[in-house]
Amino acid sequence: MAETSTSSSNSFFNNTNGGSPISYIAQDHLFTILLLLPVDSILCFAMACKKFRALTASDTLWESICRRDWGPKSVEALKASNFHHQLPWMRLYKQVSRVDSVYCHKLSNPDGELVFPSPRASHSLNFVSDCLVLFGGGSEGGRHLDDTWVAYVGNDFRRMLKWQKINSGIPSGRFGHSCVVIDDFLVLFGGINDNGNRHNDTWVGKVACHETLGITLSWRLLVVGPDAPSQRGAHAACCIDGRKMVIHGGIGLHGVRLGDTWVLELSENFRFGTWYEIVAHPCPPARSGHTLTCIGGTRTVLFGGRGLGYDVLHDVWFLDIHDGQPKWVQILYELQNVPGAVSLPRVGHSATLILGGHLLICGGEDSYRHRKNDFWVLDISAVPSITMQPTTLNSVQLLAKMWKRLKANGYKPKCRSFHRACTDNSGRYLFVFGGMVDGVLQPADPAGLRFDGELVLVELVLQL
């Protein structure tokens, strides 16, 4: 029996047709296997034979790869805009992975007839229901703002937008708050008013479009349980798992910088919420003015900010809140190993998930309050063994994949910090509004600062 079994096994691996065992696997099963592999492995697999080459070049496979690596929202948005019809998915994937520049368009014209939100910083800006929604912020004289503005974007991203002021007074005026999009809702937390009072209230906003009323937005206070994060502003926040809000750090009572992490779980009808703190060691030091960005599922990336000693940071932390077992992993690297990275330490920047599953970091200021107008891409997928603690990168080649400075063409935006940015659903277009910019007379002096009311569209340049 053993000899018969061995003979049968050998005949499978050395069949008379000269084929490989993998060639007998059904195409739909191969398709499933390929989607478990990184792109480099898929391209190597394509070199095995003509049959595999045809499979790995199929538009259906590459649409699924784009959906896996970029997220379903980006793919659906590209399909809805018919943009992907200009290129097969495989070529589009390659073009996105090779993006090395952006093109900036100015979308504000203060001398025209259109009405724009007043200049401000530390506000919130979100893209929801095909609209830009702007709330609050700080303005000249340290005054807070309590207004909400909405502009319908649609599919014409480069046109001047028509802003509409919705209401004032709800929520109360504040700056340094956080606001994230969950489904078609806005969830806002915390902030600071012009008396220096910190908040820890949670609000839910809903945008609606009516034929007769136009665009409306309603805010209501969310009912939460007895536990909640302490009062704070200048913290970082994002949405994870498509359903939860995560916040980290900020400036609390008496100006103390915080380093705690909290998660908000919402009820199905968005009427109730439950806050709970997650504790993991090691974890990022206390800070403010940093960013926390979801890169898919429950995975987030924290970058930069101002630490306890008022030093401006450039550290990168990875957080995965999976199966109730949160874990922070620091990605250690030396600035001198990244070309041009002497400018990376920053606070008051923006870090937004863009098409391709990468972070686009722009603006901010350094420890000398020198503001920036540069654009950097941070690619966490380039980091191997990210679940190890900590992950140290000494390879210059790996760091060159992880950090890449993009060239900027078109309109040249002012150097700014504490602006806000968000992308459309595809992730190809980034909207940047407001912030603190240099004054005319004394650029390096804090007294020379002024608030900006400029809206800039930053477009990823694809070689079509």
Side-chain angles (χ1 to χ4, degrees):
M1 287 293 293
E3 290 180 359
T4 305
S5 175
T6 302
S7 174
S8 174
S9 176
N10 288 338
S11 66
F12 178 76
F13 286 100
N14 300 290
N15 57 80
T16 55
N17 294 327
S20 168
I22 199 171
S23 64
Y24 293 98
I25 299 177
Q27 183 165 308
D28 57 337
H29 291 167
L30 273 178
F31 191 96
T32 303
I33 293 170
L34 289 173
L35 286 177
L36 298 174
L37 302 176
V39 168
D40 288 347
S41 298
I42 295 173
L43 295 177
C44 290
F45 182 76
M47 300 170 64
C49 68
K50 290 182 179 179
K51 174 184 176 181
F52 297 152
R53 194 174 303 125
L55 173 62
T56 54
S58 75
D59 213 39
T60 303
L61 173 66
W62 281 94
E63 179 183 342
S64 297
I65 293 171
C66 292
R67 192 178 296 272
R68 178 195 72 181
D69 292 354
W70 303 347
K73 187 168 72 170
S74 290
V75 171
E76 291 304 320
L78 290 172
K79 293 176 71 173
S81 67
N82 293 322
F83 171 75
H84 78 286
H85 290 313
Q86 301 177 46
L87 290 176
W89 286 105
M90 181 180 183
R91 190 176 167 196
L92 181 59
Y93 189 98
K94 289 181 178 179
Q95 291 294 338
V96 170
S97 67
R98 295 170 182 168
V99 165
D100 63 358
S101 64
V102 295
Y103 195 93
C104 300
H105 309 262
K106 184 179 179 180
L107 295 187
S108 52
N109 182 14
D111 299 326
E113 297 180 356
L114 296 176
V115 178
F116 286 87
S118 60
R120 65 192 68 203
S122 298
H123 47 287
S124 57
L125 182 71
N126 301 93
F127 187 87
V128 59
S129 302
D130 291 328
C131 296
L132 284 180
V133 178
L134 182 152
F135 168 74
S139 62
E140 296 289 348
R143 294 178 296 107
H144 65 239
L145 298 168
D146 62 1
D147 49 350
T148 301
W149 293 77
V150 177
Y152 179 74
V153 176
N155 290 322
D156 188 2
F157 296 101
R158 300 186 186 95
R159 65 179 172 85
M160 290 287 178
L161 299 181
K162 184 178 180 180
W163 287 96
Q164 177 183 342
K165 189 175 181 179
I166 301 295
N167 51 39
S168 294
I170 299 177
S172 61
R174 64 191 70 196
F175 54 87
H177 55 282
S178 60
C179 189
V180 304
V181 176
I182 301 181
D183 289 345
D184 291 328
F185 291 85
L186 296 168
V187 182
L188 182 150
F189 172 79
I192 306 172
N193 67 16
D194 52 17
N195 293 321
N197 297 323
R198 275 68 167 163
H199 299 283
N200 70 338
D201 48 353
T202 309
W203 293 80
V204 172
K206 176 67 174 176
V207 175
C209 296
H210 307 272
E211 291 185 6
T212 55
L213 299 177
I215 302 173
T216 63
L217 190 149
S218 57
W219 290 102
R220 56 180 170 78
L221 188 65
L222 184 72
V223 177
V224 297
D227 296 324
S230 59
Q231 297 96 326
R232 69 191 67 201
H235 52 283
C238 67
C239 166
I240 63 166
D241 220 11
R243 194 67 190 180
K244 302 173 184 177
M245 181 183 193
V246 182
I247 70 163
H248 176 272
I251 302 177
L253 299 176
H254 312 295
V256 175
R257 281 180 171 78
L258 306 170
D260 51 347
T261 306
W262 290 75
V263 176
L264 173 67
E265 289 191 351
L266 292 150
S267 63
E268 288 295 325
N269 59 6
F270 283 80
R271 297 253 170 214
F272 307 97
T274 302
W275 283 103
Y276 62 90
E277 185 177 5
I278 61 172
V279 180
H281 298 285
C283 62
R287 67 191 66 206
S288 63
H290 53 302
T291 52
L292 185 68
T293 313
C294 180
I295 57 172
T298 57
R299 299 170 299 138
T300 65
V301 175
L302 181 150
F303 172 68
R306 189 183 298 276
L308 287 174
Y310 295 95
D311 49 326
V312 173
L313 309 170
H314 66 273
D315 53 343
V316 177
W317 291 77
F318 174 82
L319 171 66
D320 194 357
I321 307 174
H322 183 64
D323 293 335
Q325 297 179 341
K327 184 178 181 181
W328 286 102
V329 177
Q330 184 176 8
I331 302 172
L332 299 170
Y333 65 100
E334 297 292 336
L335 280 179
Q336 61 263 28
N337 292 332
V338 182
V342 67
S343 66
L344 271 182
R346 62 191 65 205
V347 57
H349 54 282
S350 61
T352 315
L353 186 70
I354 58 171
L355 181 63
H358 306 151
L359 298 190
L360 180 59
I361 295 170
C362 63
E365 62 183 54
D366 62 20
S367 57
Y368 300 100
R369 292 200 169 181
H370 295 151
R371 276 151 293 282
K372 308 168 187 290
N373 65 351
D374 52 352
F375 298 92
W376 286 83
V377 165
L378 173 58
D379 182 6
I380 292 297
S381 67
V383 182
S385 305
I386 199 170
T387 56
M388 303 296 289
Q389 174 64 38
T391 297
T392 303
L393 295 185
N394 294 318
S395 167
V396 175
Q397 286 183 326
L398 273 180
L399 285 171
K401 291 182 179 179
M402 175 179 162
W403 286 108
K404 179 168 65 173
R405 183 169 181 171
L406 302 184
K407 299 186 291 287
N409 301 307
Y411 175 72
K412 185 177 180 180
K414 303 180 189 76
C415 297
R416 68 190 65 227
S417 59
F418 297 98
H419 56 282
R420 293 296 181 260
C422 63
T423 62
D424 75 310
N425 288 330
S426 75
R428 187 187 177 192
Y429 299 97
L430 179 83
F431 296 93
V432 180
F433 182 87
M436 299 174 71
V437 296
D438 291 334
V440 178
L441 298 179
Q442 298 171 304
D445 188 336
L449 292 177
R450 63 186 178 88
F451 293 82
D452 192 62
E454 192 172 68
L455 177 65
V456 177
L457 175 70
V458 181
E459 179 182 356
L460 301 184
V461 176
L462 302 178
Q463 304 299 324
L464 303 180

